[in-house]
Amino acid sequence: KGEQPTELLPFVGNERQNMPNGLMYSVKDYIVLVEDTGRIIRDDKRGAITISSQHILDRLNIPAENWLTITTEFEALFKGAVGSLPALTEYCQHVDRKRRPSAANCQKWLSA
C-alpha cells in the first residue's frame, strides 16, 4: 500500500459523471497493461495484449501496434513534452515556447 506521489495523477477508474482529475483506469488495469507489454517485448516470454489492456489503449486512443513502438522506442521518438496535439499546444503556451517539439511524432504515434 505505497503512498501515491503527489506529482503523479491518481488512478481514478473508468470514465463517469463528476470525473475527478486523474488517469482513467484502475491501478489493477495499469499493472495488467505493464505485464502484457513486458511479455510481448521480452524474447523469452510469450504474450499478447489482453482485452483488459486493449480497453485502456482504446480509452487512450492508441492502437496496440503503436503502443509497442512507443514503449520500446520512446526516447528516440520524443524529445520533451508528450501528449495529444491540443495538450501539447496548451503546455507550450503555458511554458512560453514557440515550437512544439515532437509534435509530428505525437500525432503519428498517439492517435488512432
Side-chain angles (χ1 to χ4, degrees), residues 3 6 8-9 16-17 24 34 37 39-40 61 63 103 110:
E3 294 251 344
T6 57
L8 300 177
L9 290 173
R16 59 190 181 275
Q17 281 190 326
M24 294 189 305
V34 170
T37 303
R39 288 185 168 281
I40 293 169
N61 200 29
L110 298 175

Side-chain angles (χ1 to χ4, degrees), residues 87-106:
L88 194 58
T89 299
E90 184 179 326
Y91 169 79
C92 288
Q93 289 171 345
H94 178 73
V95 297
D96 199 30
R97 292 188 112 170
K98 303 278 187 246
R99 295 178 163 233
R100 298 177 303 177
S102 303
N105 276 337
C106 286

